[in-house]
């Protein structure tokens, strides 16, 4: 049975990512591990939220300061959502919340388990940070198997 690590956050539940999961399932039995990095709140805040906060001079809340606990809890909620989406497809899936640094999160996951493939689900450059941080190239260097990048247009 093939083991596939799926690294995603804001793209969880997207049509493109779910299609990639379906494609793997049609090729034969596989298990998925969903990895959701605990992205700092400052990077989760939407452009509209940030603009509203600046225009209104609204103070930054404790949660918005990016406390690690709040970041982990947010990622845990995203993980639960993602697992539910994959289970609806009939996928065998487990998951974990990883380090806020996506490269470190992948390294940690690879140190605990062997995978046959990694799927990185990311937003396009300029919208998401993973492509601008060259995450696909960094993960490819660390992982000797296939790395598939699914860029989701929102």
């Amino acid at each position: 049975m093939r083991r596939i690590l799926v690294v995603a956050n804001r793209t969880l539940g997207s049509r493109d990512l779910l299609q990639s999961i379906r494609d793997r399932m049609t090729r034969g039995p596989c298990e998925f591990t969903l990895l959701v990095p605990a992205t700092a709140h400052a990077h989760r805040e939407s452009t509209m939220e940030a603009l509203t906060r600046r225009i209104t001079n609204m103070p930054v809340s404790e949660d918005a300061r990016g406390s690690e606990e709040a970041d982990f809890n947010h990622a845990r909620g995203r993980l639960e959502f993602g697992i539910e989406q994959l289970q609806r497809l009939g996928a065998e899936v487990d998951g974990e919340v990883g380090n806020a640094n996506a490269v470190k999160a992948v390294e940690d996951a690879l140190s605990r388990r062997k995978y046959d493939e990694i799927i990185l689900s990311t937003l396009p450059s300029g919208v998401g940070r993973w492509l601008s941080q060259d995450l696909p190239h960094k993960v490819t260097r660390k992982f000797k198997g296939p790395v598939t990048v699914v860029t989701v247009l929102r």
Side-chain angles (χ1 to χ4, degrees):
M1 181 173 296
R2 290 178 35 90
R3 291 211 40 85
I4 301 168
L5 178 64
V6 179
V7 185
N9 191 339
R10 292 171 49 196
T11 60
L12 288 166
S14 69
R15 183 179 46 213
D16 296 326
L17 177 58
L18 295 178
Q19 186 58 52
S20 291
I21 301 301
R22 278 188 212 97
D23 291 346
R24 297 326 181 271
M25 292 170 57
T26 61
R27 294 180 197 158
C30 47
E31 298 175 336
F32 298 92
T33 297
L34 180 57
L35 172 62
V36 178
T39 305
H41 181 81
H43 301 297
R44 288 194 322 259
E45 184 176 53
S46 74
T47 304
M48 186 55 78
E49 290 169 332
L51 183 59
T52 301
R53 187 171 44 74
R54 286 184 197 120
I55 290 172
T56 62
N57 290 322
M58 180 178 11
V60 177
S61 68
E62 183 63 32
D63 182 54
R65 288 193 180 98
S67 74
E68 288 182 27
E69 183 177 345
D71 294 339
F72 181 86
N73 289 337
H74 180 79
R76 170 64 60 197
R78 299 292 301 153
L79 175 64
E80 290 169 5
F81 170 78
I83 287 174
E84 180 181 303
Q85 297 299 306
L86 272 63
Q87 287 175 336
R88 285 184 182 171
L89 296 177
E92 186 174 329
V93 60
D94 63 11
E96 63 186 76
V97 172
N99 190 291
N101 177 318
V103 174
K104 176 73 171 125
V106 170
E107 285 177 352
D108 293 346
L110 293 175
S111 73
R112 289 188 292 275
R113 189 179 281 166
K114 180 179 175 356
Y115 294 96
D116 299 298
E117 179 183 8
I118 296 176
I119 298 174
L120 294 175
S121 182
T122 182
L123 294 168
S125 288
V127 179
R129 297 178 323 127
W130 289 358
L131 289 179
S132 64
Q133 293 175 341
D134 201 20
L135 181 64
H137 185 253
K138 291 175 182 175
V139 169
T140 300
R141 282 196 322 240
K142 299 210 179 283
F143 180 65
K144 302 308 177 200
V147 176
T148 302
V149 178
V150 176
T151 303
V152 174
L153 303 175
R154 291 196 127 191

mmCIF file of all heavy atoms in Angstrom, residues 6-46:
data_model
loop_
_atom_site.group_PDB
_atom_site.id
_atom_site.type_symbol
_atom_site.label_atom_id
_atom_site.label_comp_id
_atom_site.label_asym_id
_atom_site.label_seq_id
_atom_site.Cartn_x
_atom_site.Cartn_y
_atom_site.Cartn_z
ATOM 1 N N VAL A 6 0.368 14.480 2.438
ATOM 2 C CA VAL A 6 -0.294 15.629 1.821
ATOM 3 C C VAL A 6 -0.061 16.831 2.730
ATOM 4 O O VAL A 6 -0.474 16.830 3.890
ATOM 5 C CB VAL A 6 -1.809 15.382 1.652
ATOM 6 C CG1 VAL A 6 -2.489 16.603 1.033
ATOM 7 C CG2 VAL A 6 -2.066 14.139 0.821
ATOM 8 N N VAL A 7 0.618 17.833 2.212
ATOM 9 C CA VAL A 7 0.907 19.049 2.971
ATOM 10 C C VAL A 7 -0.001 20.150 2.443
ATOM 11 O O VAL A 7 0.058 20.507 1.270
ATOM 12 C CB VAL A 7 2.393 19.466 2.828
ATOM 13 C CG1 VAL A 7 2.701 20.667 3.721
ATOM 14 C CG2 VAL A 7 3.320 18.293 3.140
ATOM 15 N N ALA A 8 -0.861 20.659 3.313
ATOM 16 C CA ALA A 8 -1.832 21.670 2.882
ATOM 17 C C ALA A 8 -2.266 22.487 4.089
ATOM 18 O O ALA A 8 -2.088 22.078 5.232
ATOM 19 C CB ALA A 8 -3.041 21.002 2.235
ATOM 20 N N ASN A 9 -2.856 23.630 3.810
ATOM 21 C CA ASN A 9 -3.443 24.450 4.857
ATOM 22 C C ASN A 9 -4.647 25.174 4.277
ATOM 23 O O ASN A 9 -5.751 24.671 4.316
ATOM 24 C CB ASN A 9 -2.416 25.417 5.447
ATOM 25 C CG ASN A 9 -2.915 26.090 6.705
ATOM 26 O OD1 ASN A 9 -4.109 26.153 6.952
ATOM 27 N ND2 ASN A 9 -2.011 26.604 7.502
ATOM 28 N N ARG A 10 -4.419 26.331 3.681
ATOM 29 C CA ARG A 10 -5.530 27.134 3.170
ATOM 30 C C ARG A 10 -6.216 26.497 1.967
ATOM 31 O O ARG A 10 -7.322 26.870 1.617
ATOM 32 C CB ARG A 10 -5.039 28.540 2.834
ATOM 33 C CG ARG A 10 -4.655 29.313 4.095
ATOM 34 C CD ARG A 10 -3.962 30.623 3.847
ATOM 35 N NE ARG A 10 -4.605 31.485 2.895
ATOM 36 C CZ ARG A 10 -4.009 32.519 2.329
ATOM 37 N NH1 ARG A 10 -2.752 32.816 2.636
ATOM 38 N NH2 ARG A 10 -4.657 33.274 1.473
ATOM 39 N N THR A 11 -5.568 25.527 1.333
ATOM 40 C CA THR A 11 -6.139 24.893 0.148
ATOM 41 C C THR A 11 -6.927 23.627 0.470
ATOM 42 O O THR A 11 -7.433 22.964 -0.443
ATOM 43 C CB THR A 11 -5.024 24.535 -0.850
ATOM 44 O OG1 THR A 11 -4.113 23.634 -0.211
ATOM 45 C CG2 THR A 11 -4.301 25.784 -1.328
ATOM 46 N N LEU A 12 -7.048 23.291 1.733
ATOM 47 C CA LEU A 12 -7.788 22.093 2.123
ATOM 48 C C LEU A 12 -9.224 22.161 1.599
ATOM 49 O O LEU A 12 -9.873 23.189 1.694
ATOM 50 C CB LEU A 12 -7.805 21.939 3.642
ATOM 51 C CG LEU A 12 -6.480 21.521 4.249
ATOM 52 C CD1 LEU A 12 -6.504 21.717 5.744
ATOM 53 C CD2 LEU A 12 -6.179 20.083 3.880
ATOM 54 N N GLY A 13 -9.681 21.078 1.039
ATOM 55 C CA GLY A 13 -11.046 21.026 0.513
ATOM 56 C C GLY A 13 -11.181 21.568 -0.890
ATOM 57 O O GLY A 13 -12.274 21.546 -1.461
ATOM 58 N N SER A 14 -10.082 22.048 -1.476
ATOM 59 C CA SER A 14 -10.170 22.601 -2.836
ATOM 60 C C SER A 14 -10.396 21.475 -3.849
ATOM 61 O O SER A 14 -9.982 20.335 -3.652
ATOM 62 C CB SER A 14 -8.887 23.358 -3.189
ATOM 63 O OG SER A 14 -7.818 22.437 -3.335
ATOM 64 N N ARG A 15 -11.047 21.818 -4.914
ATOM 65 C CA ARG A 15 -11.356 20.859 -5.977
ATOM 66 C C ARG A 15 -10.071 20.236 -6.537
ATOM 67 O O ARG A 15 -10.011 19.032 -6.767
ATOM 68 C CB ARG A 15 -12.140 21.579 -7.071
ATOM 69 C CG ARG A 15 -12.579 20.706 -8.203
ATOM 70 C CD ARG A 15 -13.359 21.479 -9.229
ATOM 71 N NE ARG A 15 -12.646 22.725 -9.522
ATOM 72 C CZ ARG A 15 -13.218 23.875 -9.834
ATOM 73 N NH1 ARG A 15 -14.515 23.962 -9.944
ATOM 74 N NH2 ARG A 15 -12.512 24.955 -10.079
ATOM 75 N N ASP A 16 -9.038 21.043 -6.746
ATOM 76 C CA ASP A 16 -7.786 20.537 -7.320
ATOM 77 C C ASP A 16 -7.106 19.524 -6.399
ATOM 78 O O ASP A 16 -6.632 18.482 -6.845
ATOM 79 C CB ASP A 16 -6.823 21.685 -7.619
ATOM 80 C CG ASP A 16 -7.357 22.630 -8.675
ATOM 81 O OD1 ASP A 16 -8.051 22.171 -9.595
ATOM 82 O OD2 ASP A 16 -7.082 23.840 -8.572
ATOM 83 N N LEU A 17 -7.056 19.832 -5.118
ATOM 84 C CA LEU A 17 -6.430 18.905 -4.169
ATOM 85 C C LEU A 17 -7.235 17.614 -4.077
ATOM 86 O O LEU A 17 -6.674 16.513 -4.116
ATOM 87 C CB LEU A 17 -6.280 19.544 -2.791
ATOM 88 C CG LEU A 17 -5.703 18.610 -1.717
ATOM 89 C CD1 LEU A 17 -4.329 18.082 -2.118
ATOM 90 C CD2 LEU A 17 -5.638 19.339 -0.375
ATOM 91 N N LEU A 18 -8.547 17.732 -3.960
ATOM 92 C CA LEU A 18 -9.385 16.542 -3.857
ATOM 93 C C LEU A 18 -9.275 15.677 -5.110
ATOM 94 O O LEU A 18 -9.271 14.447 -5.019
ATOM 95 C CB LEU A 18 -10.834 16.929 -3.571
ATOM 96 C CG LEU A 18 -11.060 17.610 -2.207
ATOM 97 C CD1 LEU A 18 -12.525 18.006 -2.056
ATOM 98 C CD2 LEU A 18 -10.596 16.733 -1.058
ATOM 99 N N GLN A 19 -9.134 16.305 -6.272
ATOM 100 C CA GLN A 19 -8.954 15.532 -7.505
ATOM 101 C C GLN A 19 -7.625 14.774 -7.476
ATOM 102 O O GLN A 19 -7.546 13.624 -7.919
ATOM 103 C CB GLN A 19 -9.036 16.424 -8.743
ATOM 104 C CG GLN A 19 -9.000 15.651 -10.044
ATOM 105 C CD GLN A 19 -10.131 14.629 -10.153
ATOM 106 O OE1 GLN A 19 -11.297 14.953 -9.972
ATOM 107 N NE2 GLN A 19 -9.780 13.382 -10.438
ATOM 108 N N SER A 20 -6.591 15.386 -6.948
ATOM 109 C CA SER A 20 -5.294 14.705 -6.831
ATOM 110 C C SER A 20 -5.401 13.484 -5.923
ATOM 111 O O SER A 20 -4.806 12.440 -6.210
ATOM 112 C CB SER A 20 -4.228 15.656 -6.266
ATOM 113 O OG SER A 20 -3.919 16.645 -7.201
ATOM 114 N N ILE A 21 -6.168 13.610 -4.856
ATOM 115 C CA ILE A 21 -6.378 12.487 -3.941
ATOM 116 C C ILE A 21 -7.149 11.377 -4.667
ATOM 117 O O ILE A 21 -6.771 10.201 -4.607
ATOM 118 C CB ILE A 21 -7.142 12.939 -2.672
ATOM 119 C CG1 ILE A 21 -6.373 14.036 -1.928
ATOM 120 C CG2 ILE A 21 -7.461 11.746 -1.775
ATOM 121 C CD1 ILE A 21 -4.999 13.677 -1.468
ATOM 122 N N ARG A 22 -8.215 11.758 -5.364
ATOM 123 C CA ARG A 22 -8.995 10.768 -6.143
ATOM 124 C C ARG A 22 -8.099 10.038 -7.150
ATOM 125 O O ARG A 22 -8.187 8.816 -7.299
ATOM 126 C CB ARG A 22 -10.133 11.450 -6.900
ATOM 127 C CG ARG A 22 -11.353 11.701 -6.094
ATOM 128 C CD ARG A 22 -12.500 12.195 -7.011
ATOM 129 N NE ARG A 22 -13.335 13.090 -6.269
ATOM 130 C CZ ARG A 22 -13.263 14.431 -6.285
ATOM 131 N NH1 ARG A 22 -12.423 15.053 -7.067
ATOM 132 N NH2 ARG A 22 -14.077 15.147 -5.542
ATOM 133 N N ASP A 23 -7.250 10.793 -7.845
ATOM 134 C CA ASP A 23 -6.353 10.197 -8.845
ATOM 135 C C ASP A 23 -5.467 9.132 -8.204
ATOM 136 O O ASP A 23 -5.281 8.054 -8.768
ATOM 137 C CB ASP A 23 -5.467 11.259 -9.497
ATOM 138 C CG ASP A 23 -6.231 12.217 -10.390
ATOM 139 O OD1 ASP A 23 -7.405 11.929 -10.737
ATOM 140 O OD2 ASP A 23 -5.652 13.275 -10.726
ATOM 141 N N ARG A 24 -4.917 9.419 -7.034
ATOM 142 C CA ARG A 24 -4.047 8.441 -6.355
ATOM 143 C C ARG A 24 -4.844 7.198 -5.961
ATOM 144 O O ARG A 24 -4.361 6.084 -6.077
ATOM 145 C CB ARG A 24 -3.407 9.025 -5.098
ATOM 146 C CG ARG A 24 -2.444 10.214 -5.236
ATOM 147 C CD ARG A 24 -1.617 10.194 -6.481
ATOM 148 N NE ARG A 24 -0.691 11.280 -6.623
ATOM 149 C CZ ARG A 24 -0.956 12.449 -7.199
ATOM 150 N NH1 ARG A 24 -2.172 12.767 -7.595
ATOM 151 N NH2 ARG A 24 0.006 13.327 -7.387
ATOM 152 N N MET A 25 -6.066 7.401 -5.509
ATOM 153 C CA MET A 25 -6.893 6.277 -5.066
ATOM 154 C C MET A 25 -7.264 5.354 -6.228
ATOM 155 O O MET A 25 -7.377 4.150 -6.041
ATOM 156 C CB MET A 25 -8.142 6.802 -4.359
ATOM 157 C CG MET A 25 -7.819 7.473 -3.025
ATOM 158 S SD MET A 25 -9.208 8.362 -2.280
ATOM 159 C CE MET A 25 -10.434 7.076 -2.147
ATOM 160 N N THR A 26 -7.427 5.911 -7.437
ATOM 161 C CA THR A 26 -7.779 5.074 -8.588
ATOM 162 C C THR A 26 -6.587 4.241 -9.064
ATOM 163 O O THR A 26 -6.777 3.245 -9.762
ATOM 164 C CB THR A 26 -8.306 5.915 -9.773
ATOM 165 O OG1 THR A 26 -7.288 6.818 -10.206
ATOM 166 C CG2 THR A 26 -9.568 6.664 -9.394
ATOM 167 N N ARG A 27 -5.376 4.639 -8.678
ATOM 168 C CA ARG A 27 -4.166 3.904 -9.091
ATOM 169 C C ARG A 27 -3.890 2.686 -8.212
ATOM 170 O O ARG A 27 -2.987 1.923 -8.496
ATOM 171 C CB ARG A 27 -2.954 4.823 -9.061
ATOM 172 C CG ARG A 27 -3.024 5.929 -10.070
ATOM 173 C CD ARG A 27 -1.803 6.801 -9.990
ATOM 174 N NE ARG A 27 -2.045 8.062 -10.652
ATOM 175 C CZ ARG A 27 -1.364 9.170 -10.416
ATOM 176 N NH1 ARG A 27 -0.385 9.175 -9.531
ATOM 177 N NH2 ARG A 27 -1.657 10.267 -11.064
ATOM 178 N N GLY A 28 -4.621 2.569 -7.111
ATOM 179 C CA GLY A 28 -4.412 1.426 -6.225
ATOM 180 C C GLY A 28 -4.510 1.838 -4.773
ATOM 181 O O GLY A 28 -4.667 3.018 -4.454
ATOM 182 N N PRO A 29 -4.408 0.861 -3.882
ATOM 183 C CA PRO A 29 -4.558 1.153 -2.453
ATOM 184 C C PRO A 29 -3.493 2.132 -1.953
ATOM 185 O O PRO A 29 -2.321 2.034 -2.321
ATOM 186 C CB PRO A 29 -4.369 -0.211 -1.787
ATOM 187 C CG PRO A 29 -4.424 -1.222 -2.866
ATOM 188 C CD PRO A 29 -4.136 -0.535 -4.157
ATOM 189 N N CYS A 30 -3.938 3.077 -1.144
ATOM 190 C CA CYS A 30 -3.006 4.040 -0.565
ATOM 191 C C CYS A 30 -3.563 4.572 0.748
ATOM 192 O O CYS A 30 -4.763 4.530 0.994
ATOM 193 C CB CYS A 30 -2.692 5.175 -1.533
ATOM 194 S SG CYS A 30 -4.093 5.912 -2.342
ATOM 195 N N GLU A 31 -2.638 5.033 1.569
ATOM 196 C CA GLU A 31 -2.966 5.695 2.833
ATOM 197 C C GLU A 31 -2.418 7.108 2.748
ATOM 198 O O GLU A 31 -1.328 7.323 2.226
ATOM 199 C CB GLU A 31 -2.289 4.991 4.005
ATOM 200 C CG GLU A 31 -2.696 3.571 4.216
ATOM 201 C CD GLU A 31 -1.875 2.917 5.319
ATOM 202 O OE1 GLU A 31 -0.735 3.369 5.611
ATOM 203 O OE2 GLU A 31 -2.367 1.943 5.894
ATOM 204 N N PHE A 32 -3.159 8.028 3.308
ATOM 205 C CA PHE A 32 -2.747 9.425 3.285
ATOM 206 C C PHE A 32 -2.488 9.909 4.703
ATOM 207 O O PHE A 32 -3.204 9.544 5.631
ATOM 208 C CB PHE A 32 -3.836 10.298 2.653
ATOM 209 C CG PHE A 32 -4.123 9.952 1.225
ATOM 210 C CD1 PHE A 32 -5.119 9.032 0.911
ATOM 211 C CD2 PHE A 32 -3.400 10.518 0.195
ATOM 212 C CE1 PHE A 32 -5.389 8.688 -0.402
ATOM 213 C CE2 PHE A 32 -3.667 10.181 -1.126
ATOM 214 C CZ PHE A 32 -4.665 9.263 -1.428
ATOM 215 N N THR A 33 -1.472 10.742 4.840
ATOM 216 C CA THR A 33 -1.253 11.496 6.069
ATOM 217 C C THR A 33 -1.356 12.960 5.696
ATOM 218 O O THR A 33 -0.631 13.435 4.810
ATOM 219 C CB THR A 33 0.126 11.207 6.691
ATOM 220 O OG1 THR A 33 0.188 9.833 7.057
ATOM 221 C CG2 THR A 33 0.351 12.067 7.929
ATOM 222 N N LEU A 34 -2.271 13.652 6.334
ATOM 223 C CA LEU A 34 -2.459 15.076 6.085
ATOM 224 C C LEU A 34 -1.633 15.854 7.095
ATOM 225 O O LEU A 34 -1.766 15.652 8.308
ATOM 226 C CB LEU A 34 -3.940 15.431 6.209
ATOM 227 C CG LEU A 34 -4.316 16.885 5.976
ATOM 228 C CD1 LEU A 34 -3.857 17.357 4.607
ATOM 229 C CD2 LEU A 34 -5.815 17.055 6.128
ATOM 230 N N LEU A 35 -0.762 16.708 6.613
ATOM 231 C CA LEU A 35 0.091 17.543 7.453
ATOM 232 C C LEU A 35 -0.319 18.999 7.272
ATOM 233 O O LEU A 35 -0.276 19.521 6.157
ATOM 234 C CB LEU A 35 1.561 17.352 7.062
ATOM 235 C CG LEU A 35 2.580 18.275 7.715
ATOM 236 C CD1 LEU A 35 2.597 18.095 9.238
ATOM 237 C CD2 LEU A 35 3.966 18.033 7.125
ATOM 238 N N VAL A 36 -0.726 19.639 8.374
ATOM 239 C CA VAL A 36 -1.121 21.045 8.340
ATOM 240 C C VAL A 36 -0.153 21.830 9.222
ATOM 241 O O VAL A 36 -0.175 21.708 10.447
ATOM 242 C CB VAL A 36 -2.566 21.238 8.853
ATOM 243 C CG1 VAL A 36 -2.939 22.723 8.858
ATOM 244 C CG2 VAL A 36 -3.548 20.448 8.009
ATOM 245 N N PRO A 37 0.745 22.612 8.616
ATOM 246 C CA PRO A 37 1.641 23.432 9.425
ATOM 247 C C PRO A 37 0.853 24.460 10.245
ATOM 248 O O PRO A 37 -0.148 25.006 9.773
ATOM 249 C CB PRO A 37 2.525 24.135 8.385
ATOM 250 C CG PRO A 37 2.468 23.222 7.188
ATOM 251 C CD PRO A 37 1.063 22.689 7.191
ATOM 252 N N ALA A 38 1.296 24.693 11.475
ATOM 253 C CA ALA A 38 0.624 25.644 12.378
ATOM 254 C C ALA A 38 1.062 27.060 12.026
ATOM 255 O O ALA A 38 1.781 27.727 12.753
ATOM 256 C CB ALA A 38 0.949 25.313 13.833
ATOM 257 N N THR A 39 0.610 27.521 10.885
ATOM 258 C CA THR A 39 0.986 28.829 10.345
ATOM 259 C C THR A 39 0.658 29.944 11.328
ATOM 260 O O THR A 39 -0.425 29.972 11.911
ATOM 261 C CB THR A 39 0.233 29.073 9.026
ATOM 262 O OG1 THR A 39 0.493 27.981 8.163
ATOM 263 C CG2 THR A 39 0.670 30.363 8.365
ATOM 264 N N ALA A 40 1.599 30.853 11.498
ATOM 265 C CA ALA A 40 1.398 31.978 12.418
ATOM 266 C C ALA A 40 0.218 32.830 11.966
ATOM 267 O O ALA A 40 -0.021 32.994 10.770
ATOM 268 C CB ALA A 40 2.666 32.824 12.487
ATOM 269 N N HIS A 41 -0.507 33.360 12.921
ATOM 270 C CA HIS A 41 -1.722 34.131 12.628
ATOM 271 C C HIS A 41 -1.464 35.275 11.658
ATOM 272 O O HIS A 41 -2.285 35.555 10.804
ATOM 273 C CB HIS A 41 -2.340 34.680 13.911
ATOM 274 C CG HIS A 41 -3.597 35.461 13.643
ATOM 275 N ND1 HIS A 41 -4.809 34.840 13.438
ATOM 276 C CD2 HIS A 41 -3.818 36.785 13.495
ATOM 277 C CE1 HIS A 41 -5.729 35.761 13.197
ATOM 278 N NE2 HIS A 41 -5.164 36.940 13.226
ATOM 279 N N ALA A 42 -0.325 35.914 11.767
ATOM 280 C CA ALA A 42 -0.040 37.053 10.891
ATOM 281 C C ALA A 42 -0.130 36.653 9.424
ATOM 282 O O ALA A 42 -0.453 37.467 8.574
ATOM 283 C CB ALA A 42 1.347 37.613 11.186
ATOM 284 N N HIS A 43 0.119 35.387 9.118
ATOM 285 C CA HIS A 43 0.066 34.933 7.735
ATOM 286 C C HIS A 43 -1.308 34.396 7.356
ATOM 287 O O HIS A 43 -1.571 34.159 6.200
ATOM 288 C CB HIS A 43 1.127 33.867 7.489
ATOM 289 C CG HIS A 43 2.494 34.379 7.773
ATOM 290 N ND1 HIS A 43 3.073 35.406 7.066
ATOM 291 C CD2 HIS A 43 3.378 34.042 8.733
ATOM 292 C CE1 HIS A 43 4.263 35.666 7.563
ATOM 293 N NE2 HIS A 43 4.471 34.855 8.568
ATOM 294 N N ARG A 44 -2.176 34.178 8.359
ATOM 295 C CA ARG A 44 -3.534 33.716 8.090
ATOM 296 C C ARG A 44 -4.478 34.880 7.860
ATOM 297 O O ARG A 44 -5.504 34.740 7.228
ATOM 298 C CB ARG A 44 -4.073 32.901 9.278
ATOM 299 C CG ARG A 44 -3.459 31.566 9.439
ATOM 300 C CD ARG A 44 -4.265 30.725 10.390
ATOM 301 N NE ARG A 44 -4.819 31.404 11.525
ATOM 302 C CZ ARG A 44 -4.313 31.378 12.749
ATOM 303 N NH1 ARG A 44 -3.207 30.729 12.997
ATOM 304 N NH2 ARG A 44 -4.919 32.007 13.742
ATOM 305 N N GLU A 45 -4.150 36.020 8.421
ATOM 306 C CA GLU A 45 -5.049 37.160 8.340
ATOM 307 C C GLU A 45 -5.235 37.560 6.883
ATOM 308 O O GLU A 45 -4.270 37.736 6.148
ATOM 309 C CB GLU A 45 -4.440 38.324 9.133
ATOM 310 C CG GLU A 45 -5.314 39.537 9.213
ATOM 311 C CD GLU A 45 -4.693 40.608 10.088
ATOM 312 O OE1 GLU A 45 -3.538 40.978 9.850
ATOM 313 O OE2 GLU A 45 -5.372 41.058 11.006
ATOM 314 N N SER A 46 -6.464 37.695 6.468
ATOM 315 C CA SER A 46 -6.729 38.049 5.081
ATOM 316 C C SER A 46 -6.364 39.509 4.835
ATOM 317 O O SER A 46 -6.252 40.310 5.759
ATOM 318 C CB SER A 46 -8.207 37.829 4.754
ATOM 319 O OG SER A 46 -8.997 38.847 5.341
#
